[in-house]
Amino acid sequence: MDKKEMEKQVIENYQNDERMMILIYSQWCINHKLDPAVLYEEAYPNQAANSTMEEVHELTVPANESEDIPDQTVLNVLQLFGNDDLAFIVQEYIEKRDK
């Protein structure tokens, strides 16, 4: 594998992992009756709509068909990808729910 192919593979792997992170986040939101786009906009008010999030949202299932996604899992995945602002908003919703 030459350098160009390796770079392409690294980029594709990152994009696939990012899509998985978005799917975990979106499904967690649905499981808790939250709109993923609304939380995303709260975290990043000056950013345009995230087209990848819109695409991945189509892969989510109704909450009653989904496995439980632990709060800590969604927070860890968001932080792993540098979405600290979104993780902060998610944490706020978790704290409101737990009160």
Side-chain angles (χ1 to χ4, degrees):
M1 179 181 294
D2 69 10
K3 183 177 179 181
K4 192 142 188 111
E5 289 173 337
M6 188 180 300
E7 288 175 357
K8 182 181 176 189
Q9 186 66 42
V10 168
I11 290 168
E12 287 176 7
N13 287 344
Y14 180 83
Q15 289 171 334
N16 288 337
D17 290 347
E18 182 181 43
R19 291 175 69 82
M20 183 56 68
M21 176 268 301
I22 294 169
L23 181 58
I24 291 168
Y25 161 72
S26 294
Q27 190 64 59
W28 179 89
C29 287
I30 289 170
N31 292 356
H32 294 279
K33 298 177 178 64
L34 300 168
D35 183 338
V38 170
L39 271 68
Y40 185 86
E41 189 174 329
E42 281 184 50
Y44 307 108
N46 298 322
Q47 284 189 7
N50 185 320
S51 61
T52 304
M53 188 163 64
E54 292 170 6
E55 292 170 20
V56 172
H57 185 70
E58 298 295 320
L59 301 174
T60 60
V61 297
N64 65 340
E65 296 177 19
S66 172
E67 293 286 327
D68 180 52
I69 299 172
D71 297 338
Q72 196 58 51
T73 298
V74 75
L75 292 170
N76 289 343
V77 169
L78 290 172
Q79 291 173 332
L80 180 66
F81 279 84
N83 288 304
D84 296 330
D85 293 341
L86 186 53
F88 181 78
I89 296 297
V90 167
Q91 181 65 44
E92 286 183 337
Y93 277 87
I94 291 168
E95 290 172 5
K96 285 179 192 175
R97 180 195 69 209
D98 291 347
K99 285 187 178 179

